Amino acid sequence: MTFDLESLRLIWWAILGAVMLGLALSEGLTLGVMLLLPILGETNQDKQSLLHSIAPTSLGNLAWLVAMVAIVFAAWPIAYAVAMSSFYLLLLLVLLSILLRPLALYFLDAHDNVRWRQYGYKVLAASGMLPAALLGLLVGNLLKGIPFHLDSDMRILFLGDFAGLFNLFSLLIAIACLALLAMHGAVFLQLKTVGSLQQQAQAMTLRAGVAFLILFVAAGMWITHLEGYHITSDIFPNARSNPLAKFVKRGEGLWLDNYEHLPMLWSIPILTIIGGGAAVWLAYMGKAYRAMIASSICVGMAVLTFGISMFPFLLPSNISLNSSLTIWDSSASQLALQTLLGVAAFALPLIMIYCRWVFRLFADKTGCYTPENNESR
C-alpha cells in the first residue's frame, strides 16, 4: 500500500507517539523502582527483592529507547541533528546513567562486602533518578523552546548552554516526571512484593501519586501562561521538507490551540488526573492490580498530553521562530518514509510481543525474597 507524503508524516508521528508510550510504560517501571532504592527497604534482602522485580526485564525495555532514537533519526533527520547538537550533553548523561545499570546489576554480587553493595545500590539509584529527571528536563525545554537557528544553508547554530536548560518551568516538569515514575514504580512493587516491603510501597504510592497530581495541575496552569508556538502561514503537508518556508508566531497560551480547535482532546489531560487519582485510591484500598492499570493509564495519558500539546511541532526555536521544526517540514523523503514503514511494521510488533512475553515469563518468578522462597534458592 502506498501513502502520500502527508499521510506518511502523520503515520510516523503516531508511531513515534506509540513508541514513547511503550518506553514510558515499560522503562518507566524500571526507572521508578530504581529511584526508590534509597527510600524503600532497610535490609540487603529488601534491596534484592526490589532489584529482582525488574532485573529480568530492564535490559529488554531499552529496545523502546533504541526504537525512538532510530525513528527520529530516520523519519525526521533534521530534527535529529538539531536535537543532538542542542542537547548532546544532556543526552550523553542520560545514556551514560542508563548504561551504568546493567554493569551495576552484573557486578553487584561480585563481592559479598557490605560497602561494595552499598555503593552498588547508590549507582543503581542514580541510574534511575538521573534519566528520569533529565528526560523531564528535556520535555520542559521542548515546551519552552530551544535557542537554535537555521541559516539559509541549513547550518545549525545552537546559542544556548547546558546551564540554560535548568529553568524553573523545566525543573517543575522534571520533578513531576520523578513523582510520576515513583508512583508507577511503587504501584508495581506493591503488586510484586509482600509484607512490610509491600506496605512501604503502598505508602510511597500515596505520597508520590498525590505529589504528581499537584505538580501536574501546577504545570498545566503554568502552561496556560507559557509562550507557545503557532504556524501563521499556509501549511503544505505534501511539500518537500524546508523548515524555513513558513512563518511562526509565539504567544501566551498557544500550546492550548489544539484543545480549543478540538475540545474532545481535553479528555486526555483529564484522564491523566483521573488515572493518577484512581491509582492512589486503589493502592490505598489494597487493590494493587487495578492500581497498576490505573497508573499505566495515567502515565500513558501524560505522554499523550505532551504530544498533543506540541503537535505539529517537534523542536520549536525560541530565538528564530521560523526555524522551528514541525512534522511537516523536517521529515525524510516520501520514498524513505514509505520504505521504512515496512521495517517498522515488522519491528515494532516484535518489540511489543517480546516485552509482553518477558513480563509474563517472569511474572511469578521475580517476586521478592520471603523467608520461605529465600531458603529454596
Side-chain angles (χ1 to χ4, degrees), residues 71-83 156 241 325 330-333 337:
I71 286 173
V72 176
F73 172 75
W76 292 283
I78 304 174
Y80 176 85
V82 171
I156 304 165
S241 292
L325 303 178
S330 59
S331 74
S333 67
L337 294 178

Side-chain angles (χ1 to χ4, degrees), residues 156-178:
I156 304 165
L157 300 175
F158 178 65
L159 303 177
D161 54 35
F162 184 68
L165 300 178
F166 293 85
N167 52 76
L168 285 178
F169 177 76
S170 299
L171 288 173
L172 172 65
I173 300 298
I175 297 171
C177 185
L178 283 171

Side-chain angles (χ1 to χ4, degrees), residues 15 18-19 63-64 67 71 340-357:
I15 291 174
V19 171
W64 291 109
I71 286 173
L340 292 169
L341 194 59
V343 178
F346 170 77
L348 294 181
L350 199 62
I351 295 176
M352 284 189 282
I353 293 170
Y354 166 75
C355 288
R356 179 60 182 161
W357 174 72

Side-chain angles (χ1 to χ4, degrees), residues 50-98:
L50 298 180
L51 294 179
H52 276 249
S53 69
I54 48 91
T57 58
S58 63
L59 195 59
N61 293 338
L62 295 179
W64 291 109
L65 180 63
V66 174
M68 187 177 73
V69 174
I71 286 173
V72 176
F73 172 75
W76 292 283
I78 304 174
Y80 176 85
V82 171
M84 286 298 166
S85 62
S86 304
F87 296 119
Y88 70 95
L89 186 53
L90 185 148
L91 295 175
L92 181 63
L93 286 173
V94 171
L95 182 63
L96 289 177
S97 55
I98 288 177

